């Protein structure tokens, strides 16, 4: 007889008045809120703008949820596309089944889109989010407790979790106690979050290395916890698929940390984390679009004062030209008269032109 164990909820749904809320969904929501809150604080502390993480989460969270579900359905196709499976159940996310590998991979795509729009580097954002993401996983794992799923082998340890007969995959119909792998993973994730926060402060991790440390630390724990689970899973060469995934991802994270440390030591310049506001960009684009129209309007709309000034200037120029022409005509007339006068003088006899003697 078991003297102590962790009881499972009698139902996986919480009623908030007339609104039913699945315990699994509640844990996911709380985890997302925690990740955004902590990520925002860390981002601002590193020199980024306030509100950036929340804005990028609009892209990151939906992509992550879709990626997590896709990974689960693809790697566990039996309940959906196998004999007796129901393809429509692939959309029943509230019943559980989100693969963290797919959630991180596709969530990174959403984060990349958000970072591109804000003009900030994705690795720097990943470093700020890393502890919050792993803490979100710690909270989200309690959704498996609500659904009585993803537990380990049978055991009688005091911290064993009791599973009802309807959810017992080892001996259906019989209640039993099992290793609470959801609890093990939740505690491991809390430890990884503490490790990342400490290492980030101690070694000033940057350029994605804090995120890589989170990935490496998580995969180590996931590898041994995965060995304890008894739920159905795809196997490759006698080992669960998630174990192989953990090995590959761990190797990639370690390689990234080594290469990044050699190529980009230290942290990013805080000035590169400021990015730009999407609203100001929209305003600039609007101003640029209005400039041609303003120029056209300026040409199309007459300026009374400008027109008057132009007319006065034209009249003055005309007067000056007229005066110049008059002077030229006068000079021409004088030139024409001078030869005639000279000719008259030549025709007068010299005697007549000689003055009379006064003696």
């Amino acid at each position: 007889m078991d003297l102590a164990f962790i009881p499972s909820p009698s139902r996986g749904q919480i009623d908030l008045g007339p609104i039913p809320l699945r315990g699994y969904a509640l844990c996911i929501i709380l985890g997302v809120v925690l990740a955004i809150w902590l990520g925002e604080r860390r981002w601002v502390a590193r020199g980024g703008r306030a509100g950036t993480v929340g804005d990028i989460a609009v892209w990151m969270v939906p992509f992550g949820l879709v990626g997590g579900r896709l990974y689960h359905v693809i790697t566990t196709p039996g309940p959906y596309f196998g004999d007796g499976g129901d393809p429509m159940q692939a959309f029943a996310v509230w019943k559980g089944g989100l693969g963290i590998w797919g959630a991180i991979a596709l969530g990174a795509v959403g984060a990349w889109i958000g970072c591109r729009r804000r003009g900030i580097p994705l690795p720097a954002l990943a470093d700020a989010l890393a502890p919050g993401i792993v803490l979100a996983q710690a909270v989200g794992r309690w959704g498996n407790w609500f659904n009585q799923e993803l537990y380990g082998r049978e055991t009688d340890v005091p911290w064993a979790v009791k599973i009802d007969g309807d959810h017992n995959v080892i001996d259906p119909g019989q209640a039993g106690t099992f290793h609470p792998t959801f609890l093990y993973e939740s505690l491991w994730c809390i430890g990884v979050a503490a490790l990342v926060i400490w290492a980030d402060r101690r070694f000033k991790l940057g350029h994605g290395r804090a995120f890589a440390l989170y990935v490496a630390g998580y995969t180590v724990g996931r590898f041994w916890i995965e060995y304890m689970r008894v739920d159905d899973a795809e196997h490759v060469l006698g080992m669960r698929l998630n174990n192989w995934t953990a090995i590959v991802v761990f190797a990639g994270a370690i390689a990234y940390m080594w290469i990044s440390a050699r190529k980009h030591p230290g942290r990013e310049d805080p000035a590169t984390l400021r990015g730009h506001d999407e609203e100001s960009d929209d305003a600039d684009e609007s101003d640029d679009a209005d400039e041609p129209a303003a120029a056209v309007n300026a040409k199309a709309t007459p300026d009374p004062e400008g027109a008057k000034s132009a007319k006065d200037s034209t009249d003055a120029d005309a007067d000056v030209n007229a005066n110049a022409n008059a002077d030229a005509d006068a000079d021409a007339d004088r030139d024409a008269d001078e030869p005639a006068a000279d000719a008259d003088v030549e025709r007068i006899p010299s005697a007549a032109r000689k003055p009379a003697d006064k003696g």
Side-chain angles (χ1 to χ4, degrees):
M1 179 178 180
D2 299 320
L3 299 178
F5 55 82
I6 301 174
S8 293
S10 58
R11 55 200 300 255
Q13 181 174 300
I14 301 173
D15 294 323
L16 300 177
I19 303 175
L21 179 62
R22 300 281 301 189
Y24 186 87
L26 176 62
C27 292
I28 297 297
I29 293 172
L30 291 177
V32 169
V33 172
L34 176 60
I36 294 174
W37 172 79
L38 182 56
E40 181 74 17
R41 288 174 58 89
R42 285 173 52 81
W43 180 252
V44 173
R46 296 167 90 92
R49 293 177 185 270
T52 298
V53 173
D55 292 341
I56 294 177
V58 174
W59 294 90
M60 183 172 55
V61 173
F63 272 74
L65 291 175
V66 172
R69 188 60 176 175
L70 283 175
Y71 180 88
H72 169 75
V73 172
I74 292 173
T75 58
T76 313
Y80 312 105
F81 307 106
D83 294 338
D86 182 3
M88 295 305 298
Q89 289 300 310
F91 300 97
V93 181
W94 56 89
K95 294 184 178 181
L98 290 176
I100 187 61
W101 317 110
I104 294 296
L106 208 55
V109 175
W112 176 79
I113 295 174
C115 287
R116 290 272 296 179
R117 292 172 62 88
R118 297 302 295 265
I120 60 177
L122 176 60
L125 180 74
D127 286 338
L129 289 175
I133 291 176
V134 72
L135 285 178
Q137 292 176 235
V139 175
R141 272 306 175 198
W142 285 88
N144 302 134
W145 176 60
F146 278 98
N147 288 348
Q148 299 192 44
E149 61 183 0
L150 305 187
Y151 44 83
R153 296 185 295 270
E154 290 185 292
T155 183
D156 57 358
V157 295
W159 56 86
V161 61
K162 185 176 181 180
I163 301 299
D164 297 337
D166 293 341
H167 299 87
N168 191 338
V169 298
I170 301 299
D171 191 6
Q174 298 293 323
T177 55
F178 302 83
H179 277 287
T181 52
F182 73 90
L183 175 61
Y184 299 160
E185 187 167 336
S186 180
L187 294 176
W188 183 267
C189 288
I190 293 174
V192 171
L195 171 65
V196 172
I197 292 174
W198 170 82
D200 193 28
R201 292 177 177 176
R202 175 67 176 80
F203 302 105
K204 303 297 181 182
L205 300 178
H207 299 279
R209 289 189 292 278
F211 185 83
L213 177 61
Y214 140 65
V215 172
Y218 171 74
T219 53
V220 171
R222 179 62 182 268
F223 185 86
W224 66 267
I225 292 171
E226 192 73 22
Y227 257 121
M228 301 181 66
R229 285 168 45 171
V230 294
D231 55 294
D232 293 333
E234 296 294 318
H235 287 72
V236 177
L237 299 178
M239 191 163 60
R240 291 169 69 99
L241 177 61
N242 282 331
N243 283 115
W244 287 108
T245 304
I247 293 174
V248 173
V249 174
F250 173 82
I254 295 299
Y256 179 89
M257 291 179 66
W258 182 77
I259 296 172
S260 176
R262 291 176 60 87
K263 296 182 63 176
H264 305 289
R267 281 184 180 171
E268 297 86 351
D269 183 353
T272 64
L273 309 185
R274 301 293 293 173
H276 52 257
D277 293 327
E278 294 182 17
E279 294 181 359
S280 63
D281 286 350
D282 294 340
D284 292 341
E285 292 176 1
S286 177
D287 292 341
D288 294 340
D290 291 342
E291 283 181 2
V296 172
N297 292 335
K299 293 179 181 179
T301 304
D303 182 2
E305 295 297 331
K308 181 179 180 182
S309 299
K311 183 178 183 302
D312 293 343
S313 177
T314 303
D315 293 342
D317 292 342
D319 292 341
V320 171
N321 292 334
N323 292 334
N325 293 334
D327 292 342
D329 292 340
D331 292 340
D333 292 341
R334 284 197 302 269
D335 294 340
D337 292 341
E338 286 179 358
D342 293 341
D344 292 340
V345 172
E346 292 296 330
R347 286 195 297 270
I348 298 174
S350 59
R353 287 186 281 121
K354 183 179 181 182
D357 291 337
K358 296 180 179 181

